[in-house]
Amino acid sequence: MLLETAFICLALNTYHEAKNQSLVGQIATAQVVMNRVEDKRFPNTVCEVVKQGPTRPSWEDPKKEYPIKHRCQFSWYCDGLSDKPKNMKKYREIFNTAVYIYTSDLPDLTEGALWYHTTTVQPWWAKSYRRTININDHIFYARPRGS
């Protein structure tokens, strides 16, 4: 069950972050999640990495926590919109890719990247990291060498 949940989290993140990208772009965004899982400075499961961000208690049930809108590591997770894929054919393709990435030892296309953004934005943090590669309309970043 936990493995299946990891597949779903990885597939949903890849779907929402890169469904319009080539297969290489989808693999690269999924590899960033896997790189974070392996990095001790991030959570150690796929779902925890995907859902990382500040939360607040529900006004209905203070025992339930909800992500704070627009403050998550991956914007789709806390944008206030439905997380259910609209294009199920594309989601199934991406799900199969996610399973392959999770279970295979593929070379890391991102060269150890832990972050990425689209070419349409210029986040404040990008100058702090080492740019590794551009794939489709995503730019990937890793920690500076030696850090």
Side-chain angles (χ1 to χ4, degrees):
M1 183 63 175
L2 286 176
L3 192 57
E4 184 177 314
T5 303
F7 296 158
I8 292 168
C9 289
L10 189 58
L12 282 172
N13 195 67
T14 305
Y15 176 85
H16 289 293
E17 293 285 313
K19 67 181 167 281
N20 64 336
Q21 304 296 299
S22 67
L23 178 59
V24 171
Q26 292 169 7
I27 290 169
T29 57
Q31 286 180 325
V32 166
V33 172
M34 300 308 296
N35 289 345
R36 287 183 177 198
V37 169
E38 296 300 317
D39 188 301
K40 65 180 184 232
R41 295 165 280 209
F42 289 92
N44 63 0
T45 71
V46 170
C47 291
E48 288 174 331
V49 163
V50 168
K51 296 175 181 181
Q52 185 179 15
T55 59
R56 62 168 177 74
S58 164
W59 60 274
E60 292 177 316
D61 179 358
K63 293 178 185 170
K64 284 188 178 180
E65 293 281 323
Y66 289 100
I68 296 174
K69 194 171 183 179
H70 304 303
R71 300 278 312 274
C72 298
Q73 292 288 311
F74 298 101
S75 59
W76 69 271
Y77 183 68
C78 63
D79 61 6
L81 303 174
S82 171
D83 297 337
K84 183 177 178 166
K86 292 179 181 169
N87 183 336
M88 289 308 292
K89 180 180 180 205
K90 179 58 102 174
Y91 175 74
R92 282 190 294 276
E93 290 171 10
I94 289 174
F95 183 87
N96 291 334
T97 301
V99 170
Y100 182 72
I101 292 164
Y102 190 95
T103 59
S104 300
D105 193 22
L106 254 152
D108 184 1
L109 305 175
T110 72
E111 301 172 35
L114 297 169
W115 301 273
Y116 59 84
H117 65 80
T118 68
T119 56
T120 61
V121 298
Q122 294 180 338
W124 61 269
W125 52 260
K127 291 179 182 171
S128 303
Y129 300 112
R130 179 174 51 87
R131 191 178 191 156
T132 60
I133 192 167
N134 287 36
I135 300 175
N136 303 130
D137 66 359
H138 282 111
I139 304 169
F140 294 82
Y141 297 85
R143 293 195 184 279
R145 295 200 195 283
S147 68

